[in-house]
Every structure is written in structure tokens, then in C-alpha cells.
Amino acid sequence: MKKIMEVKNLTKKYGDFTAVDDLSLHLNEGEILGLLGPNGAGKSTTINILSTILKSDTGEITVFGLPYEKNIKVIKERMGIVPQEIALYEEISAYKNVEFFASLYNVKKAELHEKTLNALEFVGLLEHKDDKPKTFSGGMKRRLNIACALAHEPDLLILDEPTVGIDPQSRNHILRSLKKLQQQGKSIIYTTHYMEEVAEIADRIIIIDHGNKIAEGTLKDLLAEYRNTIKYTFYLDKINKDILTSLENIKGVEKLKQEENILTITLSKEQANLDKIILTLVNHECKIEKMETQEGNLEMVFLELTGRKLRD
């Protein structure tokens, strides 16, 4: 499979803090690559380097078969960037916004009008082409942001959390649009705080934490280890010291985790002895105030690997 982008041993430091630590990854032609990581994991720094906004301290980047630093101008003309922060001119029309950003990529004047309209139509904003972004909802602004990155018809699209703070309808529209772009042969890097999005659209997923890549594979690959796993979280009024030993002896219990009065128990689905667990809690005079159940999914994989929730 042809590689559109290849990154080797990328490192970026801010003083004594290492934001990206010897990170290597690649993007295949026509692939959607999902990049997951909690806040501070190094996602945005990585995206900013790949988008030419930042320069790495060390590492090699090849895009379209070209060395990155020596061919930035050529590469940027074939790349579309959707930043995390909405970048629009609020006081001019949607059409003028898209036209302006497209012109920055040397789109020929004869093609500019048609490509601007095509981009607006693609994101579902053609009927609002004469309206100013200041009148738009958050979701409409996000879609216009994407149109600005698409008008010059890039081969590679990089999106940094493009669905933050928008309504479900706009989010679904964006995800469907990305799948359409993939069908057109576009290659996409997509970062998000929503694991369900990556699970829905990504062909391959990379999880990073503390600037390091800690897991990589298809959704099926990442779930393989946890597909027969179930996790119970009990919120208790108290936890007696000797209860952990009693719970460990229950058949099927694979892992116990205690944080104050919150007890998390990971078990094999085939031996999920919930009745025995509850009976043990009752016998140790632990009142269950709330209980949560989680079956093997991407969030469980993420928590197991990083020890943190995605939005922590």
C-alpha cells in the first residue's frame, strides 16, 4: 500500500518538557487515520508540525514521497488543514471566506468561483453562501472551516478536533463528508476527543500519551484483547480493608482497582460472577450507591493503556 506520509522519530521539546517523544507513524493513500490521546498527550503539537505551523527538533517527514522541509511549498498546495480553533473572517460572506483561503493555494482565477461553490455545496452551506459567519451556529462555522480547507481540492486533509462543541446533526454531516472524501481517494488524519467518531470512520487508530505512541492498529486489532472483558465499577459508602482479598478469590476476576470508595473490577465475560461480587460486598457491609457496567470497547482499551480518560 502506497504511503502518502511517513514520519520517523519525531521529537519536539519546550524547555525541559518533551511534547512529542521519538514518534513514528505513517498514513496510507486513501486511508483515514484516527489519532487519539488525552489532553497533553502531544496530539496538537504533532498536528502542528505536520501542518507546517511548528518545526520539530528532530525527526524525518516525507509527504507525497518528498522530503518535508525542502518541499514545504509544494506539499502545502496539496494539503488541507482544519485547525482546532475556528479560523474565519466573521464580517465577510461564507463565499468570500472560502474564496480567500482557496486563493492562498494558488487556485487559478478561472477555477476559483467554481471550486468555491463546490466546497460550499459539499459541506451543505451553498444556500448560505452570502451570509456572514457571525450569524452561523457553531456547527455551521465548523463546516465552513472545512470548506475553506477543501476548496483547492487537496490530496491530504488534516483535521484537529473538528467537531468540538457542535450539535449532533453537524457532527454527523462532517463524519459522512469525510467518508465521501475517502471514497474520492483523499487521505485523512483525524484527531478527536470522541472515541465513537474514530471507531466509526477510522481505518486505523494510533493512541499516543506523553508524546509516545502506545498502541496502533485497526479497531478490531485494538479490541481483540478486550473483546471478552467486562468491567464493573461500584460506588460504595466505604471499603473495608480485607474486601479486596475476598474479591480477588472470586473466579473470573482479572483486575481490581480502588480509588477512595470507588471499586473497579475487571472480569472475563465467561466468568462474570456478578452475584458473588455483590454478595461479597454485602457481607463486608459495603453499601452500593451506584454501579456501572462497561463491556470491551475502545474506551476500555484507552483507559487500560493510558490510565486516564480521553478528556482528562
Side-chain angles (χ1 to χ4, degrees), residues 54-74:
L54 284 177
K55 187 175 180 180
S56 64
D57 296 328
T58 62
E60 297 178 11
I61 305 174
T62 304
V63 187
F64 308 122
L66 301 171
Y68 196 57
E69 290 190 5
K70 295 180 180 179
N71 299 276
I72 286 180
K73 185 176 184 298
V74 175

Side-chain angles (χ1 to χ4, degrees), residues 82-276:
V82 181
Q84 184 174 354
E85 297 297 327
I86 294 174
L88 298 170
Y89 292 99
E90 298 275 350
E91 296 293 336
I92 63 175
S93 69
Y95 178 93
K96 287 294 184 182
N97 267 278
V98 178
E99 183 185 53
F100 170 74
F101 283 104
S103 69
L104 298 179
Y105 290 92
N106 295 324
V107 175
K108 295 178 181 178
K109 285 187 177 180
E111 301 175 349
L112 195 55
H113 176 67
E114 182 180 358
K115 289 189 175 183
T116 298
L117 293 180
N118 287 343
L120 286 166
E121 183 176 20
F122 185 80
V123 299
L125 291 176
L126 186 57
E127 64 183 36
H128 297 283
K129 65 183 179 64
D130 297 320
D131 298 336
K132 296 178 180 179
K134 68 179 182 180
T135 67
F136 287 3
S137 67
M140 291 171 69
K141 288 181 179 180
R142 288 284 179 187
R143 284 151 57 191
L144 181 58
N145 222 31
I146 292 173
C148 291
L150 288 178
H152 65 292
E153 299 178 350
D155 298 307
L156 168 61
L157 190 63
I158 299 177
L159 302 99
D160 190 8
E161 301 187 29
T163 62
V164 171
I166 66 173
D167 58 279
Q169 184 178 2
S170 291
R171 176 177 289 126
N172 291 336
H173 190 287
I174 289 172
L175 297 181
R176 288 196 304 269
S177 297
L178 293 179
K179 293 300 288 185
K180 288 180 183 177
L181 288 170
Q182 182 187 33
Q183 291 166 9
Q184 296 171 10
K186 309 297 184 184
S187 306
I188 299 169
I189 297 177
Y190 187 88
T191 77
T192 180
H193 268 156
Y194 303 104
M195 277 177 283
E196 63 273 17
E197 293 181 0
V198 166
E200 181 178 342
I201 68 170
D203 300 298
R204 190 161 47 90
I205 300 166
I206 291 177
I207 299 175
I208 66 173
D209 195 23
H210 301 296
N212 293 291
K213 179 171 65 178
I214 59 175
E216 178 179 2
T218 65
L219 179 62
K220 184 178 179 181
D221 293 336
L222 294 175
L223 292 178
E225 185 178 348
Y226 300 95
R227 66 181 181 273
N228 293 320
T229 300
I230 191 165
K231 183 182 291 186
Y232 296 115
T233 301
F234 296 93
Y235 297 80
L236 307 170
D237 66 334
K238 62 180 179 179
I239 296 180
N240 296 327
K241 293 182 180 179
D242 58 344
I243 192 173
L244 298 181
T245 301
S246 298
L247 291 169
E248 286 174 349
N249 292 329
I250 296 175
K251 190 174 181 180
V253 172
E254 298 176 350
K255 186 177 179 181
L256 292 174
K257 182 180 179 182
Q258 177 190 353
E259 293 182 352
E260 296 182 350
N261 290 340
I262 302 173
L263 186 62
T264 302
I265 306 174
T266 304
L267 304 97
S268 165
K269 280 185 182 179
E270 287 81 4
Q271 298 174 327
N273 290 313
L274 179 60
D275 54 342
K276 292 184 179 179

